[in-house]
Amino acid sequence: MCLSYPVRILEMTDGPLPMGRINYGAEDSWCALAYVPEATVGDHVIVQNGFAIQVLDEQSASESLAAFAELGVG
Amino acid sequence: MAERVTVGQIVDAAPARVLVTRDQQGKVADARFDLSGLPRVEALLVGRPVAEVPALVERLCSICPVAHHLAGVRALESLYGFGPIPESADLIRRLLHYASVLSIHAQAMIWQDRQAALTLRGLAKAAMVTAGSPLHFPHTAVLGGVHALAEPEHRRAALALVDEATSTATRVAAEALHAAQAHGGGHGALTDAFTGANVALTDTSGTVDLFGTHLTAVSDDGLKVIDGATVDQWDELIAEAHPGSSAPRPYLVACGSDTGSYRVGPIAQLRAGQLPTPEAAAVQDAWRSRRTEGSAPAARAIMALHCVEVVAEILQDPRILIGTAVDPSQGLAGHARMTGPGDSAVLSGSEAHSVGVGWVDGARGLLVHRYDADTAGQVLSATILTPTAQNERWLGDMLQTVVDQATPAEVGSRVEQAIHDADPCLPCSSAPAGAMNVIVDDSVTTESE
């Protein structure tokens, strides 16, 4: 089964392929935001293969993070 | 003990890998998509209260939370012996499911037709709000029914989007069919070569129903291998050749593990039966008659149109506003039973444990939750059978053909094509054409004599 961990967008760039800076673990990374034009800085997103594919509302992101924490992932 | 999964593995998963095996003459003996990085979470569910499983699983997956929500609640209802839910509640669940499938199909269109994708996603979102799930994780279904019926203002807002979504979906389906035809069947040739069965959910009459109560399997030559089986027959229908594996190789029990391969998803849905909505049914007929049955993009577009029609039909049905949300004779009482401390009387089975199975047919195909729980309501074992696992064999067949027949210059793009057609729920599927970065590992093993 696929597992998807929500990460927060810390910064966004403009242009034809907007990118978002995200952080997980100890390092920052970038993801493409083409699939989620509604995303804004501060949103939690699900990232696959370098592409953010879902925006999670704050409550849902908290619930997802809690589920992972319950299983010891984080 | 289950392998520990780190955040890095989830957010930045290992690259997609195709593993090729050649015989001593150098001929391709096997090719398969490497699913070893796809964890199975079932072991983590053992010992937990079974009532918590659907919510936990949907929050771990996040890609298809509605499908997990509905399959999970159906599994719990099966486990606890619930009867049919009220018709209004069934319509609300159905609205949520079809809207969710539409949303996923719409997302796949964003590189081809961004405005169409946003239009269809707009209707899907409004319909999910109408069905009581405004947030990412659904809260619609409760045991025995739904949390609430639709609010009139939500329904009005969704209905206002129907006309534009219908014309958009109709146009997109026609264009996808035209594109498939323009390829002269070449696009579909890869998927057409599959000789396994096509499995999808249907209603009692065999009509395609993504929220159906019956399962139909149709062989490559059109014969019904399974003709409307019900969920309580699940263990006799499909088994895993490698239980617990990331690639469990499920098969149709009636055909055996060697010849019982099958696929799920839009192509299988269109081949398993007739669509009940008029516009999509007309395109489905054309899809068949124009020899474009192998085109996965066209199949997805037709299913998206079908979803728009079903969503529109349900939104216009007054029963989503008036009726019974939960059957008081079983729903609320059942909820209390489920959340109460271990009550040995609640399980439907008379033995020391009971099994419940729930299913839905999603954007990527059939999703099944199977729970085995003890009389205290603790999970003894669980199986979450995903479309990705069910399509692994089909994808392997396509990859073998590609690696065997394509020129070195073509291999990369054709491997991508095969993966996009099978559409596994993996990071690589989100990549646009040319950006998948699949590694074809052609030196894994050499078969010995």
Side-chain angles (χ1 to χ4, degrees), chain B residues 2-36:
Chain B
E3 186 182 347
R4 182 179 170 80
V5 178
T6 66
V7 176
Q9 285 173 274
I10 298 165
V11 177
D12 195 13
R17 189 178 294 271
V18 173
L19 305 175
V20 180
T21 305
R22 292 182 183 270
D23 62 19
Q24 290 193 327
Q25 285 70 47
K27 184 173 169 48
V28 176
D30 183 48
R32 61 189 168 86
F33 191 81
D34 181 17
L35 290 182
S36 61

Side-chain angles (χ1 to χ4, degrees), chain B residues 70-209:
Chain B
L70 294 172
V73 170
R74 278 181 152 184
L76 290 177
E77 288 172 343
S78 157
L79 183 74
Y80 284 84
F82 282 67
I85 63 172
E87 60 179 11
S88 291
D90 186 71
L91 281 170
I92 293 286
R93 287 188 185 184
R94 185 175 290 275
L95 177 64
L96 178 72
H97 182 55
Y98 274 88
S100 165
V101 174
L102 174 61
S103 177
I104 294 169
H105 283 319
Q107 181 169 299
M109 298 173 186
I110 206 147
W111 297 105
Q112 290 77 37
D113 191 334
R114 180 182 173 84
Q115 190 50 51
L118 296 179
T119 298
L120 298 181
R121 214 166 67 174
L123 173 64
K125 180 67 180 170
M128 286 192 275
V129 170
T130 307
S133 288
L135 303 178
H136 181 74
F137 293 120
H139 293 85
T140 296
V142 296
L143 293 172
V146 294
H147 185 258
L149 299 183
E151 296 290 340
E153 66 270 26
H154 293 154
R155 179 203 192 207
R156 270 195 299 276
L159 277 171
L161 304 174
V162 162
D163 285 349
E164 187 185 358
T166 303
S167 60
T168 297
T170 303
R171 173 181 60 76
V172 168
E175 289 173 358
L177 193 66
H178 181 73
Q181 211 175 355
H183 278 83
H187 179 92
L190 197 56
T191 57
D192 279 340
F194 184 62
T195 57
N198 297 285
V199 171
L201 293 187
T202 57
D203 64 12
T204 51
S205 65
T207 301
V208 172
D209 182 355

Side-chain angles (χ1 to χ4, degrees), chain B residues 123-317:
Chain B
L123 173 64
K125 180 67 180 170
M128 286 192 275
V129 170
T130 307
S133 288
L135 303 178
H136 181 74
F137 293 120
H139 293 85
T140 296
V142 296
L143 293 172
V146 294
H147 185 258
L149 299 183
E151 296 290 340
E153 66 270 26
H154 293 154
R155 179 203 192 207
R156 270 195 299 276
L159 277 171
L161 304 174
V162 162
D163 285 349
E164 187 185 358
T166 303
S167 60
T168 297
T170 303
R171 173 181 60 76
V172 168
E175 289 173 358
L177 193 66
H178 181 73
Q181 211 175 355
H183 278 83
H187 179 92
L190 197 56
T191 57
D192 279 340
F194 184 62
T195 57
N198 297 285
V199 171
L201 293 187
T202 57
D203 64 12
T204 51
S205 65
T207 301
V208 172
D209 182 355
L210 301 184
F211 197 57
T213 51
H214 291 64
L215 183 139
T216 295
V218 176
S219 70
D220 180 47
D221 50 8
L223 298 175
K224 284 195 174 175
V225 181
I226 299 172
D227 190 2
T230 52
V231 75
D232 56 303
Q233 297 172 273
W234 173 255
D235 286 349
E236 303 154 30
L237 302 177
I238 288 173
E240 295 186 8
H242 308 296
S245 161
S246 293
R249 296 259 159 146
Y251 62 92
L252 300 177
V253 172
C255 302
S257 60
D258 288 341
T259 56
S261 64
Y262 67 95
R263 65 181 162 189
V264 297
I267 288 178
Q269 289 156 359
L270 291 175
R271 290 192 172 194
Q274 186 66 34
L275 295 176
T277 54
E279 297 296 329
V283 189
Q284 181 187 20
D285 289 342
W287 181 75
R288 286 189 181 124
S289 63
R290 295 181 197 174
R291 305 176 65 82
T292 51
E293 286 181 287
S295 169
R300 279 194 280 272
I302 296 168
M303 291 308 297
L305 172 57
H306 171 56
C307 289
V308 169
E309 289 185 287
V310 173
V311 164
E313 192 178 293
I314 297 174
L315 286 171
Q316 287 156 4
D317 193 323

